[in-house]
């Protein structure tokens, strides 16, 4: 597998995670409107985990894109 392919895969994964992040954020906004603090805390935890996953995938993509070509 080429470095570019791997970088593209990591970017694709990051894009999927960003979509999940957006949906989760919308869920948080809905819960905030309902003043459901307990559920909102759970969603905030999920948002933090998703953000870490996005960051990791972007770091992989950068590293793979910058890797020397064989």
């Amino acid at each position: 597998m080429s470095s570019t392919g791997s970088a593209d895969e990591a970017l694709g994964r990051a894009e999927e995670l960003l979509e999940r992040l957006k949906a989760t954020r919308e869920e948080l906004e809905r819960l905030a409107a309902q003043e459901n603090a307990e559920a909102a805390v759970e969603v905030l935890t999920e948002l933090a985990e998703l953000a870490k996953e996005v960051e990791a995938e972007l770091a992989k993509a950068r590293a793979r894109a910058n890797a020397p070509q064989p």
Side-chain angles (χ1 to χ4, degrees):
M1 183 177 294
S2 71
S3 293
T4 303
S6 298
D8 289 343
E9 289 173 9
L11 282 174
R13 174 81 174 125
E15 288 174 355
E16 291 171 10
L17 289 167
L18 284 170
E19 286 301 316
R20 284 181 51 203
L21 194 66
K22 180 181 173 185
T24 305
R25 187 194 50 163
E26 290 169 355
E27 174 69 7
L28 179 62
E29 290 172 0
R30 185 184 66 76
L31 292 170
Q34 294 175 353
E35 298 182 6
N36 187 341
E38 187 174 319
V41 169
E42 291 175 17
V43 172
L44 279 171
T45 301
E46 185 178 349
L47 278 172
E49 291 170 5
L50 284 169
K52 287 179 187 177
E53 289 182 50
V54 169
E55 185 177 355
E57 289 299 328
L58 291 175
K60 286 180 194 176
R62 276 194 291 282
R64 290 173 182 166
N66 294 328
Q69 299 295 320

